[in-house]
Each structure stands twice: as structure tokens, then as C-alpha cells.
């Protein structure tokens, strides 16, 4: 569902506009803004309303849109690089390798059964 919400917490928004403008409501208060009525008349925590008109503004143009896309691409690339760990860069000398990775698997060293080759059973025809 595409919607717009403002203020408050997830699932508890001060202003809620759903995609079809059918289940719109405002709250008297929320965790972000001070208490107060956004619509005249009525009391109560939640007040439903019908949308009469919607005005959407955009600033910039094609150049601003391209600049925004470039910025988002850079941010995504930076996030992807931050998720990857290059062990070669992390450990530049033997001390670092031993310090960070020396006992990596020692906790489970004796907990596994040894891998012994299985003997193949051969059946002899009589």
C-alpha cells in the first residue's frame, strides 16, 4: 500500500493518507509534535476525514532529478562497500592476523566427529 504519513511512530501517525484516499485520519497527538487538533470540530484521539483535493509540489526539474539519482547511486555504492570486509586490508601483518583470526574456530575444534573414510561393502555373488 502506498501512503503518506507524518509524525509519530510506525502504525501510529499524526496524519495518514492512504493510496486511495479512503481511510484518511488525523490524531489529536503523537510522539513527535505537541497535542492539538489539525481539523476543526470534534474531539477524540482519531478523526477520520475525506480528502477534497491534493496539491503536490516538486522543485528542480530534470537536472535536479539527475543530481538526486547520482547522489542515491553514490550512497548505495558506499553502503555496499561498507558491507564487505576485505581481510587483506584488515590484517596488514602477522600480529593482526593472529590477534583477529588466531582462535576463530578453536571453540568448536573438539566438538565434531572425525571424518573417517567409509568402507565400501562389496557383495560377492555365490
Amino acid at each position: 500500500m502506498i501512503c503518506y504519513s507524518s509524525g509519530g511512530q510506525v502504525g501510529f501517525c499524526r496524519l495518514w493518507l492512504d493510496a486511495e484516499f479512503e481511510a484518511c485520519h488525523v490524531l489529536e497527538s503523537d510522539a513527535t509534535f505537541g497535542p492539538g487538533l489539525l481539523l476543526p470540530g470534534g474531539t477524540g484521539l482519531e478523526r477520520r476525514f475525506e480528502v477534497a483535493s491534493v496539491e503536490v509540489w516538486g522543485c528542480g526539474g530534470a537536472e535536479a532529478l539527475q543530481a538526486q539519482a547520482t547522489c542515491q547511486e553514490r550512497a548505495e555504492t558506499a553502503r555496499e562497500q561498507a558491507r564487505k570486509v576485505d581481510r587483506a586490508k584488515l590484517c596488514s601483518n602477522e600480529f593482526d592476523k593472529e590477534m583477529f583470526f588466531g582462535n576463530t574456530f578453536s571453540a568448536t575444534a573438539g566438538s565434531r566427529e572425525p571424518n573417517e573414510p567409509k568402507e565400501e561393502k562389496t557383495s560377492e555373488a555365490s
Side-chain angles (χ1 to χ4, degrees), residues 45-120:
L45 179 63
E46 180 179 300
R47 179 143 188 244
R48 297 195 176 276
F49 65 93
E50 291 182 18
V51 175
S53 64
V54 175
E55 185 174 336
V56 178
W57 287 48
C59 298
E63 293 172 7
L65 186 61
Q66 180 60 39
Q68 183 182 24
T70 303
C71 184
Q72 288 172 345
E73 242 177 72
R74 273 192 224 127
E76 183 62 28
T77 303
R79 276 192 296 274
E80 287 299 319
Q81 287 176 347
R83 288 182 183 137
K84 297 176 185 176
V85 176
D86 186 1
R87 289 185 181 176
K89 290 181 181 177
L90 183 65
C91 299
S92 59
N93 57 45
E94 289 301 316
F95 175 79
D96 289 343
K97 289 178 187 175
E98 183 64 30
M99 179 71 177
F100 292 121
F101 302 112
N103 294 320
T104 302
F105 301 106
S106 64
T108 59
S111 65
R112 296 190 176 129
E113 295 178 9
N115 290 334
E116 296 176 6
K118 294 182 181 178
E119 293 179 18
E120 292 185 24

Side-chain angles (χ1 to χ4, degrees), residues 14-15 26-30 33-47:
R14 183 75 177 259
L15 173 63
V26 293
L27 300 177
E28 187 176 316
S29 64
D30 63 69
F33 304 104
L37 298 175
L38 296 179
L39 294 175
T43 58
L45 179 63
E46 180 179 300
R47 179 143 188 244

